[in-house]
Amino acid sequence: MKSKETARAYTSRLLKKTQRIRREFGQHFLIDDSIISRMVAQIPANVLLLEVGAGLGVMTREFIGRHPEFWAIELDREKAEILREEYHVDSCNPPFNLLTGDALQTNLTDLWPAQRGWVAGNLPYYITNPLIMHFLQQKSHLEAMIIMIQKEVAARICAPPGRKDYGVLSIAVQASAQADILFDVPPHAFVPAPKVTSTVLALHMRPHPDLAASDEKGFFRIVKAAFSSRRKTLTNSLAAGLALDKSHVAKCLMQTDIDGTRRAETLSIAEFQQVAQALSPDLIDLVYRQNH
């Protein structure tokens, strides 16, 4: 029986078919079999699955057969063509569904209209945040994400209140998902090697335990305003970010028993919800004035 190609050998063979590595697409190809196995093992077999940034297919080949309903998307048309040829995607019985295009335009309802699925992949560093938010906005069709991203970004996503890297991204993700750092991936696990360490992150969708169903847009308007001037006090940043009178904001904060001299990075999600509820009449008025 022929032994399976190692990830390094597989990638080396397929790289010979390509004209170049597209650095503008953030292409760093994973070549460490143990990392690939650990990442794939985080995803239960047979679930609906979308792989983002399939590249040359080093993880794609692990998902084939393990997930009967499996889609992979790749922006680089040349790499997608290599995958198409390698796996006979245009045959009568293709092993998976290959999508060529921008993952930021991918609608999960087009893939699984009435179900929830998983998203996996080695995300390009340059669009990590937009990609995560794009899929979180489709959380009604999303079960979980197992993604490889830059270590510093993973730390920001998982940061608790009080840390300097806690911010809008932390709250946006934690409001919708349980975020857990699984393990780090060193630069030498890739070709070409990036200049930074990567981290595999698990995001399992769930309502935040301290966040009641409310006006989500209003909540995040408050969060973004609070962090718009991180060095300012909460009163000052909210007043500036929402174009409200500072004394009025201070009065609203007094109703919540939240000290207006605190800074945004010290507030929990539950406290931000209290602030949003206290300022909700102002938000309604603000939206009205912006639309008229």
Side-chain angles (χ1 to χ4, degrees), residues 6 19 33-34 53 55 67 70 87 109 126 136 139 148 152 160 163 173 176 189 232 246 278 286 291:
T6 65
Q19 295 180 0
D33 289 290
S34 64
H67 300 277
F70 167 48
Y87 293 100
T109 58
Y126 74 104
L136 287 183
K139 58 190 175 185
M148 188 181 302
E152 287 75 11
R163 272 186 25 182
V173 175
S176 298
K232 291 184 177 180
K246 187 165 68 173
L286 183 64
N291 294 330

Side-chain angles (χ1 to χ4, degrees), residues 7-25:
R8 184 182 293 274
Y10 170 91
T11 301
S12 178
R13 175 171 61 83
L14 292 192
L15 276 176
K16 293 176 182 177
K17 297 184 178 183
T18 184
Q19 295 180 0
R20 61 184 172 132
I21 293 174
R22 301 289 294 273
R23 293 183 182 273
E24 70 272 26
F25 289 166

